[in-house]
Each structure stands twice: as C-alpha cells, then as structure tokens.
Amino acid sequence: MKKVAIGGGQGFWGDSNDAAIHLMRQGEIQYLGCDYLAELTLSIMARQKIKNPAAGYARDFIGLMREAGADARRRGIRVITNAGGMNITGAVEALAAEMKAQGQTGYKIGYVLGDELSAEIPALRAAGVEFKNIDDVGEFDEIKDKIFNANVYYGHEAIVDCLEQGADTVICGRAADSAMFLAPFVHEFGWAADDWDNLARGIMAGHLLECGGQGSGGNFDYGWREVPDMDDLGFPIAEITPQTFEITKADHCGGLICEQSCKEQFLYEVHDPANYLTPDVNVDISHATLTGVGENRVRVGGVKGKPRPDTLKLSIGYHAGYKVVGMLSFAWPDAYEKAQYAADILMKKMRRKGLKAEDIHISYIGLNSLHLGVANMSEEMTRNINEVVLRIAIRTKEKEEAAKLIPEIAPLQLNGPPGASFFGGRAHVQEVIGLWPTLIPRDALKLTTHILEVK
C-alpha cells in the first residue's frame, strides 16, 4: 500500500533549524514542509525590501539548505516552503547560488509568483471589489494610501504544478500554511479537485504539521512536564495512505506525539470545527477522531470536506502610525505602588506636553501584562509582590508625538519613587504595521509557476 510521509520543518520565521535538519538526515519522509509566514511577517519583509531590494525573504531557509540541502537531495526528500515572502525571486537566486556552491548541478527550484496584489488594488476596486474588513473595523479609504503589501492566501494547485515539473524545492510567497503539505499528497495520490474528503485529510495533515514543534510536545498545555528531551525536540510527521492518516515523529529525538498533544494542535485557530475554511476545501472536523495507536503515533479519522469557498483571503499590511514602548522595573517593598506612581508621573508630564495619542496602554509585567482584566490584583498580591516592571506604550499618528515620551522615562531612575531601574534600554520610535484582512473573488488571483535548474 502506498504511503506518503511529510515532515513539518518550521513553525515560524525565526524557529530553530535543528528539527528540520534531523528530519532531512534521519526522518523517514519523502517531503518536508517549512512554514515561515504569519499575518504580519510579510509586512515586515516588505519594509526590509524597501530598504534593501535584495532582502524581503526568510534567509534562515538558505541557512537550512546550506546545512542539510545536500542530505535531503541524496535521500530524495523534496522541500516546500513559503520562505520566499516578499522577494521570491531573491530567495530562489540565493538558493540556486547555494546549491551551485555545493556542486548540486541539475537541482530544480520551482517557484510561484503572483500572490502580491497591491498594484492591482485600484483595478479591483474599479471592478467592484470593496475590500471590506473581515472584522468590520474601519473604512478601506482610510488605509488605501498607506499600504505596504497585499498578499493572497492561495491553495495547493500551483505547488503541485511545480512538483509535476520535477522541482526538488518549491519556494512560495503567501501559500496557505496547510496547502504546502496538501500539495504533495495531491501530487502523489492524484486526488481530484473535488475530492473534498481527501483534500480535507491533506489539509488537516498540514494543520497538524504547520506549527512545527507545537505539534509534537512544544507549547503543550496539557502535560508539558511529560515531554521527553524538550532540548532536542523533534517535529511531527504525517503519514497518509489511501485508507489511513497518522501523525508520528522521527526516531532519536525528543518530543511527544499523543492524543492530547495532537488535539491541542488539531483545534488551534479553528473557529468553527464544522466549517474550517481554507483556499482548498471547507473542512469539517466536528466528528473527527484522534486515537493513539502506538508509541508516538496517533491515528486521525472522521475528517470530512465540503466545497471550497468562492473567495480568497487577502492580508493587507498598512502604516498605522508610530509607537513607543518604555519599561521601568521596581523591587519590593511596595513595588506595585511605586510603579503606579511612576506611571502617574509620566501621564502628568504627557498632559503638560499636550500628547496626542491614538492609544495609551499601561500594564505591569509580573501582575497583569498577560492576563489584563482577569489578573489577580488583590491587595495581598499587589502588596507583597517581589518585583514588577512598569510597561507603558503609546501609539500616535505622528512620529513627533510618539517621541514625546522617550526623554521622560530614564530620568525616573533618580527623579521618581525609589528603586527604579531602567529596563530594556532607551525607548525609540517604531513604525506600527496594521493588518487589514479582507476577501476577494477567487478569479482575481493569477499565479504563475516557474522552474530554475542549477547549472
């Protein structure tokens, strides 16, 4: 019985390469998927590319391929990644140079272009596309002249086309995370475009892999103490046959594949289990089952699919003003009271300066910076806390307004309540990237596929 095994090699831009290298050298897999992109990552890459036209992609991926790309090719492992970000051709050229330096002639790099649509927005608006915010916040006219990037989450088809042209590695932009893992299954098994149940199985395989170590015991809320050798965490592997769908991991590494760890990742970011919308299929996991069938092995069943949506998600990054974040730490006794007093001093100074802020956020690290309004703020807690860090953040429309806070933070070490310590270095003005999620007609996207062979 034919079995296709895919490893999850990356959870985000900046994740460790260790598990991916282990999979490329020792994993029993035919494919490796590496997910580098998140909602705002593309906007950060867009700003990098503005400053340096050669930047704008995940350079970490080139480092991974420098370390173990030859191992992957020798073992017949094909790699799929969205590391191309905002500069797909730059990533392709960098990988081609690396593989040439390694003597890997004949190596084929597939790549997909066309997911960045900022230049097409005026024409799409003229054609009637409203770019309505999915969260029903604001009007598009407010941001239309402040856009950094506009990238479509697209599905598996273009990636499959690259694989069918013999690509050893496929580099994408904003391919949907799970689509990168679905594509090899479609390529290997020949699933039809309307085979919704199998497409849904492939999507959920990708969903269980796309966050890297989070699917194999990392960030494991149910039982993190039970995860073996977290310092050498292995990443998950999906194995699919025509009849079965199982999650496991490579040998000789840490991590944990169990019902609970898989269930946590299975439900991650799924708002409606009966209608998990992706570019490829509307997935129904409302009656899915996850069953342990051996050590570090879980079988997934009951995944169903329905026709894919007629629209695609477009993620628009835009300039949303400026921010300054400053911090001061205070120690016992009366740490919280001192921090509150310091915050009051800063606010009085800002009022005298006439600060025009869109948002002001004051929190206390060690008390409520994570749990906000549901934090334990009882008198006993706040009176006896050993230490606390005052964190103050402001967001403004103008850069000059944000800068008003900076010179007032450091002086409180000597000019405020006792025991203050400058924390995190001198604050500086940072540009704020806003996110505008919207939907566009599927036919507004025109992707192209390409192959570059290393000579």
Side-chain angles (χ1 to χ4, degrees):
M1 182 186 303
K2 183 173 184 175
K3 179 177 71 176
V4 178
I6 302 177
Q10 195 82 187
F12 60 95
W13 187 20
D15 200 356
S16 170
N17 283 337
D18 292 350
I21 292 169
H22 182 76
L23 283 166
M24 294 164 99
R25 289 176 175 168
Q26 298 189 43
E28 296 301 319
I29 58 175
Q30 295 95 51
Y31 295 88
L32 181 72
C34 293
D35 176 25
Y36 286 86
L37 301 183
E39 292 280 352
L40 292 179
T41 307
L42 283 161
S43 298
I44 296 171
M45 290 177 168
R47 290 172 62 198
Q48 289 182 340
K49 190 178 180 184
I50 290 171
K51 295 178 181 178
N52 177 8
Y57 63 91
R59 294 180 182 271
D60 306 24
F61 177 68
I62 307 304
L64 169 64
M65 297 301 285
R66 179 177 302 119
E67 183 76 16
D71 297 296
R73 190 185 191 197
R74 174 178 54 81
R75 301 185 68 230
I77 298 171
R78 304 168 79 176
V79 182
I80 301 169
T81 182
N82 54 18
M86 287 296 296
N87 190 358
I88 298 162
T89 56
V92 169
E93 291 167 1
L95 178 60
E98 178 59 42
M99 300 313 287
K100 184 175 182 178
Q102 294 183 25
Q104 298 293 329
T105 56
Y107 193 89
K108 292 185 178 181
I109 305 169
Y111 57 104
V112 182
L113 301 178
D115 66 290
E116 211 292 319
L117 296 184
S118 55
E120 280 72 46
I121 286 178
L124 290 172
R125 290 201 81 191
V129 178
E130 296 181 357
F131 297 99
K132 181 179 174 62
N133 191 300
I134 291 174
D135 299 321
D136 200 23
V137 177
E139 297 295 330
F140 186 70
D141 284 342
E142 299 172 3
I143 71 144
K144 67 178 183 180
D145 298 322
K146 304 175 182 179
I147 292 173
F148 286 123
N149 67 289
N151 294 81
V152 182
Y153 284 75
Y154 62 86
H156 69 282
E157 294 96 334
I159 303 171
V160 172
D161 187 48
C162 289
L163 292 175
E164 291 179 349
Q165 295 182 62
D168 296 292
T169 288
V170 181
I171 297 179
C172 307
R174 183 59 280 190
D177 306 352
S178 52
M180 295 188 296
F181 299 89
L182 170 62
F185 293 123
V186 173
H187 171 64
E188 293 282 351
F189 291 116
W191 293 339
D194 60 354
D195 188 350
W196 305 121
D197 285 350
N198 270 324
L199 293 176
R201 286 205 303 154
I203 284 293
M204 292 314 295
H207 185 74
L208 286 163
L209 270 55
E210 67 192 29
C211 292
Q214 184 169 279
S216 54
N219 199 22
F220 183 28
D221 194 53
Y222 182 87
W224 58 271
R225 295 177 182 86
E226 302 165 11
V227 180
D229 302 320
M230 200 178 286
D231 63 294
D232 189 26
L233 191 72
F235 286 6
I237 296 170
E239 297 178 352
I240 285 185
T241 73
Q243 285 77 39
T244 62
F245 166 12
E246 294 180 353
I247 300 295
T248 185
K249 70 177 189 68
D251 294 331
H252 312 300
C253 60
L256 178 67
I257 302 292
C258 65
E259 290 183 26
Q260 291 84 2
S261 65
C262 288
K263 285 176 181 177
E264 286 189 13
Q265 179 62 31
F266 202 66
L267 295 174
Y268 175 68
E269 293 183 335
V270 175
H271 298 285
D272 179 357
N275 294 282
Y276 176 44
L277 296 175
T278 78
D280 297 292
V281 58
N282 180 1
V283 182
D284 181 358
I285 59 170
S286 60
H287 294 87
T289 60
L290 289 89
T291 308
V293 292
E295 184 179 2
N296 288 310
R297 183 169 291 274
V298 171
R299 179 165 294 181
V300 182
V303 175
K304 298 294 182 181
K306 295 177 281 189
R308 67 188 188 181
D310 295 327
T311 55
L312 294 172
K313 181 180 178 181
L314 181 69
S315 182
I316 300 176
Y318 66 96
H319 170 76
Y322 300 91
K323 70 176 180 179
V324 165
V325 180
M327 292 184 282
L328 286 166
S329 61
F330 295 85
W332 182 92
D334 307 317
Y336 178 51
E337 185 180 357
K338 295 171 186 173
Q340 284 184 300
Y341 196 83
D344 184 56
I345 291 172
L346 287 170
M347 286 298 93
K348 286 178 178 177
K349 287 177 174 289
M350 290 302 99
R351 284 193 289 271
R352 286 204 294 271
K353 285 187 171 184
L355 174 68
K356 298 175 183 177
E358 299 297 297
D359 190 23
I360 298 174
H361 179 78
I362 297 173
S363 61
Y364 301 91
I365 299 173
L367 270 177
N368 69 343
S369 62
L370 295 179
H371 291 97
L372 304 178
V374 300
N376 178 3
M377 299 292 287
S378 67
E379 182 181 352
E380 180 182 5
M381 170 65 77
T382 58
R383 185 178 65 250
N384 296 322
I385 190 168
N386 289 327
E387 57 196 47
V388 68
V389 177
L390 163 65
R391 180 184 184 273
I392 179 168
I394 63 172
R395 181 172 63 87
T396 64
K397 288 183 178 179
E398 304 298 330
K399 189 173 184 178
E400 294 74 18
E401 288 296 316
K404 289 178 178 179
L405 179 63
I406 296 174
E408 305 298 345
I409 300 170
L412 286 179
Q413 295 175 100
L414 300 181
N415 303 343
S421 176
F422 203 22
F423 187 78
R426 182 176 174 86
H428 59 279
V429 177
Q430 297 174 284
E431 190 172 19
V432 176
I433 300 172
L435 177 66
W436 188 275
T438 188
L439 300 174
I440 62 170
R442 185 175 287 272
D443 60 9
L445 180 64
K446 310 295 182 185
L447 298 175
T448 59
T449 59
H450 310 266
I451 296 288
L452 173 64
E453 184 172 346
V454 177
K455 302 295 186 182

